[in-house]
Amino acid sequence: MRRKVRRKQEQGFALLMALIALTMLAILVTDLHETTGMSFSAATAQRDQLRAEFMAKSGVNLTRMLIGQEKNVRQMLAPMFSMVTGGRPPPQLPMWRMANALLRPFADFEAAKIDLLDTGIDVENSKGLGDQIGSFEVKACNESGKINLNDPRMQDLAVSQAHVSTQLYGLFGGYLPSPNKYDPLFTQYDQKGRLTTRFDMIANIIDWWDEDQARGEFDPLMHVMKAGGAEDNEFYRGLPEPYMIKNAPFDTLEELRLVRGMSDDIWATFIEPDVDDPDSRQVTVWGGSRLNPNEADPMLLLSRVCTMEEIRDQLLCNDPSGQEPMKFVQLLMTIRTITQGQLPIFSRPGDFTNFVLGKDGIYTQLKKMFGGDGAGGGMGMLFGGGAAGSLMFKPPVLTNPNIEPGFKKAFTTTGYVFTLEVTGKAGSAQRRIRTVINTDPKWTPPKPNAGKPPPLGVFAYYRLD
């Protein structure tokens, strides 16, 4: 009887053990599946990240090659350009702006193939194309079209200080009628009750890179920097993580963040309005001392022109109604709209100075196009009013002939420093390379290095995100 009772009690025990074993096995399989799935996803993401990085690197190298071929393309187009413009040589061609269109077969072959088929070109069997593992997008800009906040290393320190200070004062709206839209940026107190005016901001930037220990004070009437005591190192020493004024040139744009008074509002307004578009910047730390009239913002060009001694007091820069300066800006903007920003206007710096001074050449041609000959008509009717010549500004007059050579030296139509921002994509991964390349053939490596720069230029800055 006892044996029968024990057997009845043990009935179903094997089934229970089997269910427990199956449950544990299911847990193990589920854990293994999850671990394997996570490892696979991580490996796939890592693979796509690597692919995206190399697509971005390919975009950088192809864009460098494209910029390196600009001179050859320019020489090919020289005869045609000379015929159209009456003998003028062609300007530097903005190949960097065309990078996405010209490099599309390498960046996105399938999309490029469809576009090319519409034009009757079949690239289906092209060797070396079609095997991409991702795509890339290029954004590039010429740094010569921006104000260089760095030490321009001109003939002496005082000239360099005055040169940068005058342009900064114009950039910060100092030459605009007051009150203007930039005034609130320089009239607000920070959390500790400190006020940074325009003059403070200018002095802080100059003090960062100049080699002396004196604090400068900008005089907007005389366009000079005057000594005004010792540099403000006490502020920097009192920070939670203290540091000293560098007294050396800026190495990167981000280094400007270390300068006293560089608030987020000032940064977003003047330094980097759009973090994803390097062409939106009006300032640089990699350019030279000359401004490129084919690249710079018209307001920036006007500001630079108005720093000239004999011009700043004339109607172009000192019109109480503000009409003459706006005509200058509107004329340049209209021309760029017509050419879609792809055809530079000025071949040489002298072309721009002649344009500003109203001499024969581009100014005369534009007057016929937009202003007629004074009898009415012309395309000026379409842009800015019905009066003849309504789009044309009144050129300033230089009474001192010695000023014009210096005027020409303030501008350039050839840029050698470029910012490339290339975004590589593969699968769901995305990597971005932001780099600055220097293609100046006269650049020499720092000692003890020797030799010439490579044909595709040298990297002045490189960052992978």
Side-chain angles (χ1 to χ4, degrees), residues 34 39 46 74 95 105 110 165 178 199 214 220-221 229 247 254 269 272 299-300 314 343 362 366 394-395 414 461:
E34 185 176 351
S39 299
Q46 200 168 28
R74 194 194 324 168
M95 303 291 285
E110 293 301 322
S165 300
S178 188
F199 299 104
L221 298 177
N247 286 333
E254 288 80 5
T269 303
E272 203 170 28
M299 281 297 294
L300 205 58
Q314 298 192 41
L343 182 63
I362 296 176
L366 292 174
K394 183 177 181 180
T414 304
Y461 176 84

Side-chain angles (χ1 to χ4, degrees), residues 223-291:
H223 296 269
V224 296
M225 288 287 286
K226 299 177 180 179
E231 290 180 341
D232 190 14
N233 264 312
E234 291 302 319
F235 167 81
Y236 298 99
R237 290 195 190 101
L239 295 174
E241 297 182 5
Y243 53 89
M244 300 286 287
I245 292 177
K246 187 178 181 181
N247 286 333
F250 292 99
D251 290 318
T252 66
L253 198 67
E254 288 80 5
E255 194 177 327
L256 280 163
R257 289 279 194 181
L258 300 176
V259 175
R260 176 180 180 177
M262 185 57 68
S263 65
D264 290 339
D265 290 336
I266 291 179
W267 183 275
T269 303
F270 302 111
I271 309 301
E272 203 170 28
D274 186 349
V275 295
D276 295 322
D277 183 10
D279 211 21
S280 67
R281 283 190 287 110
Q282 294 194 55
V283 300
T284 181
V285 296
W286 297 291
S289 60
R290 300 182 179 186
L291 202 58

Side-chain angles (χ1 to χ4, degrees), residues 41 44-49 51-52 133 424-431:
S41 298
T44 301
Q46 200 168 28
R47 180 203 64 190
D48 289 344
Q49 288 266 344
R51 287 179 172 179
I133 53 176
K425 299 177 182 178
S428 58
Q430 181 172 303
R431 300 300 297 271

